Amino acid sequence: MHKRVLVLCLLLAPLLASCKDSTSPPKGPAGPDYVSSWGTFGTGTGQFDGPEGVATDAAGNVYVADTGNNRIQKFDADGNYLLSVGSGGTGQGQLLGPWSLAVGTDGSIYVADTYNNRIQKFDAAGGFLAAWGDTGTGTGRFMTATGVALDDMGHVFVADSGNNRIQRFDTSGGFQLAWGTKGTDDGQFDNPCGVAIDSAGNVYVMDQKNNRIQKFANDGSYLLPVQVRLGPGRGRVGERPGRGHLQLPDPGVHRKREVRARLGGEGDGRRRVR
């Protein structure tokens, strides 16, 4: 009797294994490999106090908006400290709670000097070049400038959060155009706090309180929404060049969210969280 049971078990084992495999959920894509990290809380070089934004240049250097320390810090790709730009204040080259930054192909650094309601431009060595904007609702003025991005055509886009609009400038600060009003309809915003540009020149706006990303042409024409749930608090949006992904920090759960979208044309987006 025991031998018959043993033989039956041996015969059924492959069948049971195949059934188990067929009902197992498919495995998702492999996650990213951890490489390195750097920084601790503090005011020294290589330390941070509430960093809000990050950008890279063509050489792979990393720039961090060290918001609480009112400065931008630059590192090489391995996290070695290179230089610091800015100090707390309202004067030329000083910063007050910088949230975001972008780096031009020539190494110029554009900083959303958030609570000074202006954009400041520095050269690759951190020297002051220009500034534009002040507090207000008129063209070229800001009510909490939280995001800045560049395209390949020499345009500077600013997320003017408090005025619920995006403004576009040339690289010297000359005003070109603006779009957006407060609301929930297509092309309207409720606290747009981040902006990113893809290789085709399309503009992606983090419409924070409407819990969505909106996509526009370079001239502000509405294209489509990219639906995504955002956690509470603040966030940024940034493109991973050449990958067709948008990076969305989710402050409520202390992780980044990645939206896979068709950056070069029409179509709905697919959300991937990691």
Side-chain angles (χ1 to χ4, degrees), residues 124-138:
F128 174 82
L129 292 176
W132 64 89
D134 59 4
T135 304
T137 59

Side-chain angles (χ1 to χ4, degrees), residues 48-55 63-72 96-101 112 114-115 145-148 193-194 206 208 233-238 247-251 256:
F48 305 112
D49 184 358
E52 291 279 2
V54 63
Y63 301 73
V64 180
D66 186 7
T67 309
N69 284 324
N70 298 301
R71 65 187 178 186
I72 304 299
L96 196 58
W99 272 35
S100 179
L101 73 155
T114 303
Y115 296 113
T146 53
V148 62
C193 61
M206 177 183 280
Q208 188 193 46
R234 299 169 291 187
R236 295 289 173 281
V237 59
Q247 293 293 330
L248 303 176
D250 189 350
K256 284 189 176 180

Side-chain angles (χ1 to χ4, degrees), residues 69-251:
N69 284 324
N70 298 301
R71 65 187 178 186
I72 304 299
Q73 294 197 69
K74 178 181 177 181
F75 304 85
D76 66 19
D78 295 319
N80 298 306
Y81 173 82
L82 297 176
L83 65 85
S84 181
V85 179
S87 61
T90 60
Q92 178 176 294
Q94 292 186 309
L95 305 171
L96 196 58
W99 272 35
S100 179
L101 73 155
V103 184
T105 55
D106 62 351
S108 297
I109 306 167
Y110 298 78
V111 181
D113 188 6
T114 303
Y115 296 113
N116 280 326
N117 284 305
R118 64 187 178 186
I119 301 298
Q120 293 205 65
K121 179 180 178 180
F122 301 87
D123 63 26
F128 174 82
L129 292 176
W132 64 89
D134 59 4
T135 304
T137 59
T139 56
R141 309 181 81 184
F142 307 112
M143 294 291 291
T144 315
T146 53
V148 62
L150 308 174
D151 67 13
D152 294 332
M153 297 175 282
H155 301 140
V156 181
F157 297 82
V158 180
D160 185 10
S161 302
N163 285 322
N164 292 294
R165 65 185 178 188
I166 301 298
Q167 296 196 65
R168 195 182 87 181
F169 304 85
D170 62 29
T171 54
S172 298
F175 174 81
Q176 294 182 333
L177 58 88
W179 72 88
T181 57
K182 184 176 177 63
T184 59
D185 291 338
D186 292 346
Q188 293 187 309
F189 304 115
D190 192 352
N191 193 42
C193 61
V195 59
I197 317 298
D198 69 17
S199 58
N202 298 310
V203 182
Y204 297 80
V205 180
M206 177 183 280
D207 188 9
Q208 188 193 46
K209 292 185 179 179
N210 283 327
N211 292 299
R212 63 186 180 185
I213 305 299
Q214 296 197 66
K215 178 181 178 180
F216 301 86
N218 200 270
D219 63 358
S221 302
Y222 176 80
L223 294 179
L224 59 86
V226 180
Q227 296 294 340
V228 60
R229 287 185 175 274
L230 301 177
R234 299 169 291 187
R236 295 289 173 281
V237 59
E239 183 203 352
R240 293 175 64 182
R243 292 288 302 277
H245 297 164
L246 299 177
Q247 293 293 330
L248 303 176
D250 189 350

